[in-house]
Amino acid sequence: MAAPLQAQTLKGFRDYLPETMAPRQAMIRAIEDTFARHGFLPLQTPALEYEETLMGKYGEEGDKLLYRFEDNGQRRVALRYDLTVPLARVVAQHRAELQLPFRRYHIAPVWRAEKPQRGRFREFLQCDADIAGVNSPLADAEVLVTGLQVLRSLGVEGARLHLNHRDVLFGLLELRGVTEKPQQIACIRAVDKLDKIGAAGVVAEIVREAQLDTQAAEQVVAAFAPGGGLKDLQQTVAVAGDSAPVLKQAVERLEAVLALVAAAGLADLITVDVSIARGLDYYTGIIYETRLTDPKVASMGAVMSGGRYDGLIGLFSKEQVPAVGISLGLDRLLAALQELGLLPTHLARVPVYVAVMDSQVAGHALHVAGLLRAAGLRAEVDLGGGKLGKQFERASKRGAQVVLVLGSDEVASQSAVVKDLGSGQQTPVSWTELPAFVASLLT
RNA sequence: GUGGAUGUAGCUCAGCUGGUAGAGCGCGGGUUUGUGGUACCCGAUGUCGCGGGUUCAAAACCCGCCAUCCACCCCA
């Protein structure tokens, strides 16, 4: 006999066994439901796109991480890297059929050829909600509120959304005399690491990467340093006055968005954080990331982020269409929750087990199981046969909560013995009473 | 892409300075009659990641490869 094939998954790709898939699916449903309740409609797009659709949208690094290849018709194609660029393509391509503002949600896997790490995979599920067609604080706030409500509906505690604005970054730098784009980007990259390598480390990196002198670098860091909250920004604006119009406008935008989120009762989940940089590729307005505060999983990075991208759709169309969105990385969130022991385990178990005394009653067992299933209860029928003790053993090993025993006596009286495996108590119940009785045991 | 750590039964791991492998959990069977989980008894586990080398002898030492994890980079 030939040796069996190697059973293996690709690096960075994973199987989701029921133990993780069951809670994962419950989360997906909750997210979808929350998106829908916030007025977003479902959209789906192909996993594969033309290479040129995706190339150059994510920056140098991003291009390297695209899965690219040639299809059987010699077309250059790539697996989607996110859900935002496909959305931009859709809005441009179906512009005539869509009514603006267009609100869509999209839950689907994306692929990035990165080096896998804890909480970082090559295939992972993104859950996005975006609004195309409106550039306003209200649209920004609507998207943020939706995202925060999603986290709430998932029961995620200890998450914090760090909000910033792209023009705050550039405005602060220009105020310090850093006006060259490459220098600005180098500075922003460095500042992004403030909480990781400290102020001195950031100064060093700016001197090295942006070729500023130490004094200038220190000034830059000072502009971002002291926690970098909204108050610091407002103070900076007050001092700078009209000499920093871009900065002023960005800060006003942040104020407006924050006020709206506060009115929705979610202010305590958001803080302004000028050190948030994010990909500078297509973002043009607010940017943000959401991190879990528990130190055990803080290093896994952001679980939900996004921002405003008013120029992206225009790349695919003559018309400029502003847009803003949020993106939740479900598999990273799931990995974090799993590590924190916050995933429910009961979902991967079937609560009702129907024992079958002998083959004579098999048909009746199916009938009884059917009564429960019709009532919305999850039930499985024993398939292994054998002694009743064996069947009970299987039931409890599988995590069932209730076992129904069905023998010829029970069939004769149109009843079943219902045993609660938790308490050990058992009761004979007629078939008509069965669904209600079992349901009462499961609550 | 750069640097570091790890790789022994399904899982978590032990195996001291080289003498061809162990534990716990899990798994299978049993403790007779239509009752599981707890207890007791018995049992099977394995190219010691892969390929070379050193040696009388390698799971252990050396080299290469692969995989996983961690940090950097970047990100969800």
Side-chain angles (χ1 to χ4, degrees):
Chain A
M1 196 159 67
L5 296 172
Q6 189 78 32
Q8 56 181 354
T9 49
L10 283 164
K11 185 204 253 298
F13 288 70
R14 306 174 305 157
D15 295 317
Y16 299 92
L17 299 184
E19 200 174 308
T20 47
M21 192 56 205
R24 184 174 186 260
Q25 191 171 61
M27 289 169 82
I28 293 169
R29 286 180 180 149
I31 293 166
E32 190 161 20
D33 182 58
T34 304
F35 281 161
R37 275 188 291 119
H38 285 76
F40 294 85
L41 295 169
L43 174 74
Q44 229 176 112
T45 68
L48 281 178
E49 294 276 358
Y50 279 102
E51 183 184 88
E52 61 173 21
T53 301
L54 305 183
M55 287 287 283
K57 310 297 186 297
Y58 308 106
E60 266 176 66
E61 287 301 314
D63 281 356
K64 283 190 219 156
L65 301 180
L66 282 173
Y67 275 99
R68 302 152 58 193
F69 54 93
E70 191 170 86
D71 76 0
N72 292 347
Q74 279 79 54
R75 282 171 282 261
R76 294 298 314 173
V77 298
L79 281 166
R80 65 171 167 242
Y81 177 94
D82 68 1
L83 303 176
T84 307
V85 170
L87 168 66
R89 197 214 83 226
V90 164
V91 170
Q93 188 174 331
H94 300 277
R95 180 65 191 84
E97 303 153 67
L98 297 175
Q99 199 190 338
L100 298 185
F102 178 55
R103 304 166 157 247
R104 78 91 179 81
Y105 72 83
H106 192 173
I107 298 174
V110 303
W111 295 269
R112 298 180 187 179
E114 296 202 70
K115 194 157 173 174
Q117 242 178 75
R118 188 173 68 135
R120 171 190 278 185
F121 315 102
R122 289 187 168 174
E123 175 183 63
F124 60 95
L125 198 73
Q126 280 205 328
C127 309
D128 281 33
D130 291 75
I131 301 174
V134 180
N135 177 355
S136 72
L138 184 53
D140 292 349
E142 180 82 317
V143 156
L144 291 177
V145 163
T146 302
L148 292 172
Q149 290 293 4
V150 163
L151 289 181
R152 183 166 282 186
S153 75
L154 293 176
V156 174
E157 313 262 336
R160 194 153 199 90
L161 191 149
H162 298 252
L163 180 68
N164 197 11
H165 193 294
R166 185 180 175 273
D167 286 339
V168 164
L169 295 168
F170 291 118
L172 282 174
L173 287 169
E174 272 157 31
L175 206 56
R176 304 289 154 171
V178 182
T179 51
E180 297 300 317
K181 206 71 167 195
Q183 286 189 320
Q184 290 179 331
I185 287 171
C187 285
I188 288 165
R189 287 227 170 100
V191 167
D192 193 34
K193 295 176 203 160
L194 248 179
D195 50 345
K196 254 185 194 167
I197 60 180
V202 174
V203 169
E205 181 164 332
I206 289 175
V207 170
R208 183 157 32 90
E209 301 294 331
Q211 274 92 44
L212 296 187
D213 59 52
T214 306
Q215 206 177 4
E218 277 168 356
Q219 278 192 4
V220 167
V221 173
F224 289 92
L230 184 61
K231 278 185 185 152
D232 297 308
L233 276 178
Q234 287 165 329
Q235 215 163 15
T236 307
V237 169
V239 172
D242 293 334
S243 65
V246 171
L247 180 65
K248 189 177 177 202
Q249 233 178 354
V251 171
E252 282 168 3
R253 181 62 167 247
L254 287 179
E255 286 168 345
V257 172
L258 277 175
L260 288 165
V261 174
L266 296 166
D268 52 327
L269 298 175
I270 292 198
T271 84
V272 169
D273 180 347
V274 299
S275 74
I276 294 300
R278 303 207 45 72
L280 299 157
D281 328 291
Y282 51 63
Y283 289 119
T284 56
I286 62 163
I287 48 182
Y288 49 88
E289 26 187 87
T290 311
R291 306 203 201 110
L292 298 178
T293 49
D294 192 309
K296 269 188 257 172
V297 293
S299 70
M300 281 171 120
V303 295
M304 184 176 83
S305 35
R308 170 163 290 283
Y309 46 98
D310 289 344
L312 186 59
I313 296 169
L315 294 180
F316 297 99
S317 154
K318 283 176 188 164
E319 185 185 4
Q320 288 295 334
V321 181
V324 62
I326 197 152
S327 179
L328 180 136
L330 184 68
D331 288 307
R332 176 173 289 179
L333 179 62
L334 187 80
L337 294 180
Q338 194 157 35
E339 207 161 308
L340 296 174
L342 296 176
L343 282 194
T345 55
H346 68 279
L347 294 169
R349 301 187 186 145
V350 180
V352 182
Y353 198 90
V354 181
V356 185
M357 281 302 300
D358 58 71
S359 56
Q360 301 298 306
V361 298
H364 297 289
L366 266 189
H367 172 68
V368 165
L371 294 175
L372 298 173
R373 291 163 177 168
L377 300 173
R378 293 188 292 143
E380 70 173 311
V381 175
D382 178 85
L383 301 176
K387 291 188 212 162
L388 196 55
K390 264 283 158 253
Q391 300 194 33
F392 265 90
E393 199 179 315
R394 279 195 287 268
S396 94
K397 205 167 282 177
R398 291 169 150 264
Q401 290 171 258
V402 170
V403 173
L404 267 52
V405 180
L406 215 65
S408 47
D409 294 351
E410 285 78 17
V411 168
S413 63
Q414 305 256 296
S415 69
V417 170
V418 178
K419 177 161 180 175
D420 183 328
L421 289 183
S423 67
Q425 287 199 331
Q426 55 183 46
T427 324
V429 179
S430 75
W431 290 352
T432 50
E433 312 281 333
L434 217 40
F437 184 82
V438 172
S440 76
L441 288 181
L442 294 180
T443 50

